[in-house]
Structures are given as C-alpha cells and as structure tokens.
Amino acid sequence: MRKNIVAGNWKMNNDLKATKKLVKQIRKSIKKAELNNTRVIIAPTFVNLSAAVKRSKKSKIEVAAQNMHQANNGAFTGEISAEMLKGVGVKTVILGHSERRAYFGETDAILAEKVNAALANKLEIIFCFGEELADRKAGNEEAVVESQIKNALFHLEADAFKNIVLAYEPVWAIGTGETASPEQAQDMHSFIRKTLADKYGNNVSDNVSILYGGSVKPANAQEIFSKPDVDGGLIGGAALKAEDFYSIITAF
Ligand code: PGA
C-alpha cells in the first residue's frame, strides 16, 4: 500500500535559528493531528540537517536532504556524500530537483549515478522531474517526463522502487504561483504509473508514491490530493510557514 507524503523543500531558506523555530512549530502542530497514513518530511539546508534531526526525534517529522554528491568521498570541494547524510541521521534525499538541473547542470546521467549512490547507501530517494513550459506548449510533456524517468531510473531492478518516491514538478508551476490543474496533475501521474507498469509491472507501479509539486498551497492542496494517482506533494514556498504546511499535511 502506498503512503501519502507531504514533503517540504525548504531550498536555501532558514538559518539555524529559523530552522529550530520552524521544526518546533511543525512538531507542535502535528502532535495531535489525525495524519491519515500521511508521512511528513522536511528538507532543510545541509548545515541545519543535524539540528533538524535532533529536534524531530520522537515526532512524526522525518528529515531529508535536498541533494547529495554521487561519490562516497574524495576531492570534491564543497560537496556532501550519502554516507555523511546517513551519519547525521538523514534517511531520505531529494534528487533531480529542477533547480539542480537548471542552475547546477545536473543531467539525467549524473542523476542516474546519484540514484545508484543513494540506494547503495540505503537512502530513500524523492526523485523529481517535470517538463518546462515550452515542452507543454509543444505538447511534449509526456515524452519529456518519460525520458527523464527512463534515463535516470530504468536501469534499476524492480526492488529498488521500494525506496523511491517520485515527484512530478512541472517547471512552469514551481515558485510561479501557477499550479497545474488537478486534472493536469492526475493525467500526468496516471501516465507515469503506466510508464512504470509497462516496464516493471503493476506491483511496482501501484506501490510507488507519486507526489505533485509546483505552487501547492492550502487553498489548492485538497483538490489536487483528491486525485487518485496523486499521493501528496513536494512543497516549496508554503512549507516555510508552519500554519500553511499544517493545512497541506491535513488536506488528505
Ligand atoms: P513551490 O516549490 O511550492 O514554491 O512552487 C515546489 C518545489 O520546488 O519543490
């Protein structure tokens, strides 16, 4: 049975003090909440992971990293490895976010290596992908999404998908205030599930959680999450306010 997930991608926001405060607020707000099988994940920046893990202990909050390097160690100045993430108690890593692809040159080939490194280190992956506006205008959104998934994930064995969560994030909807309509999200999620089923069978495709990301907020979360193939959201801006994040978590 796949789980519902609401994950907050904090991006390059919140210093240590703000991190501690926000974790505390989220922790308090969800303490008595009926979470209906929903996992709650937050992804602070690297330097604050340790503090977030510490402050999330004995709560329903799970802490994820926003990125990692594909090598286990070595001369890669400024980078962080899977092993280091595990060392501070992180169990999940976001890979392939469109900002990583666009600003830091992460290609499908690099992402395939990162996927392998994360899985080899027993980290769960939230794997992001999504088309740009020009792709959608040209009617190429399915082809783009299919190739992003195939190139980075289809070398894996079926079993690997137990540790993979997919996050469909159309680039034109990220941080723009423009959300994909619930129907657009459902259509793409159903296409993604079919793509997985064709390669790995229904057992894999039925059990993978597929999140939607891109301007999810309290006002639209419920409608998007009500779609049968949408298992939650990857939330940027609205994850930075405890109140908004809470209403999204409880939107199921
Ligand atoms: P947004 O970001 O919710 O601010 O659009 C989503 C994301 O980038 O994961």
Side-chain angles (χ1 to χ4, degrees):
M1 246 293 276
R2 56 187 194 250
K3 280 217 160 194
N4 295 329
I5 299 173
V6 175
N9 173 12
W10 292 6
K11 309 191 181 183
M12 199 172 70
N13 294 294
N14 290 333
D15 62 9
L16 179 60
K17 196 169 158 207
T19 298
K20 289 179 184 171
K21 188 172 163 200
L22 187 51
V23 172
K24 194 170 166 190
Q25 288 172 330
I26 297 169
R27 193 182 167 122
K28 196 167 158 212
S29 74
I30 64 171
K31 200 166 178 188
K32 297 207 182 80
E34 188 47 72
L35 293 184
N36 291 328
N37 194 36
T38 304
R39 289 175 61 194
V40 178
I41 301 178
I42 55 168
T45 186
F46 285 132
V47 289
N48 295 322
L49 285 172
S50 199
V53 167
K54 192 167 153 204
R55 277 163 183 79
S56 304
K57 288 236 164 80
K58 298 207 175 85
S59 82
K60 290 168 191 150
I61 302 172
E62 300 172 49
V63 179
Q66 299 173 16
N67 177 36
M68 53 165 248
H69 192 268
Q70 57 273 34
N72 273 338
N73 49 51
F76 300 103
T77 302
E79 291 293 328
I80 310 277
S81 72
E83 223 165 66
M84 292 166 187
L85 295 179
K86 274 204 313 189
V88 295
V90 166
K91 299 196 172 66
T92 304
V93 62
I94 298 173
L95 293 178
H97 191 279
S98 68
E99 287 148 19
R100 299 292 322 166
R101 293 175 189 259
Y103 309 146
F104 302 98
E106 295 197 5
T107 59
D108 289 344
I110 293 173
L111 289 168
E113 287 182 44
K114 291 193 177 200
V115 163
N116 292 344
L119 293 174
N121 283 284
K122 300 203 162 36
L123 285 175
E124 175 188 51
I125 297 167
I126 299 178
F127 185 76
C128 309
F129 51 86
E131 83 283 2
E132 295 188 22
L133 187 58
D135 303 320
R136 186 161 278 267
K137 282 196 170 150
N140 288 338
E141 65 273 17
E142 289 188 348
V144 168
V145 161
E146 185 175 1
S147 77
Q148 288 171 325
I149 295 175
K150 283 190 173 166
N151 293 342
L153 301 178
F154 274 18
H155 61 285
L156 299 170
E157 301 287 331
D159 218 37
F161 284 83
K162 288 184 185 141
N163 289 313
I164 296 179
V165 171
L166 299 178
Y168 167 58
E169 299 203 301
V171 179
W172 48 271
I174 296 178
T176 58
E178 185 163 344
T179 325
S181 69
E183 291 69 33
Q184 283 172 321
Q186 169 57 28
D187 286 351
M188 185 59 88
H189 284 220
S190 142
F191 171 76
I192 294 162
R193 234 180 266 291
K194 187 180 166 299
T195 304
L196 280 179
D198 288 348
K199 165 89 176 163
Y200 293 104
N202 288 342
N203 195 30
V204 168
S205 75
D206 286 346
N207 285 300
V208 169
S209 296
I210 308 178
L211 315 184
Y212 167 79
S215 300
V216 177
K217 35 190 183 277
N220 59 25
Q222 196 155 18
E223 209 187 339
I224 297 172
F225 294 175
S226 71
K227 294 296 174 191
D229 286 304
V230 178
D231 305 308
L234 183 56
I235 322 296
L240 298 173
K241 276 203 204 126
E243 266 174 50
D244 288 355
F245 194 53
Y246 176 77
S247 14
I248 296 169
I249 293 165
T250 49
F252 280 104

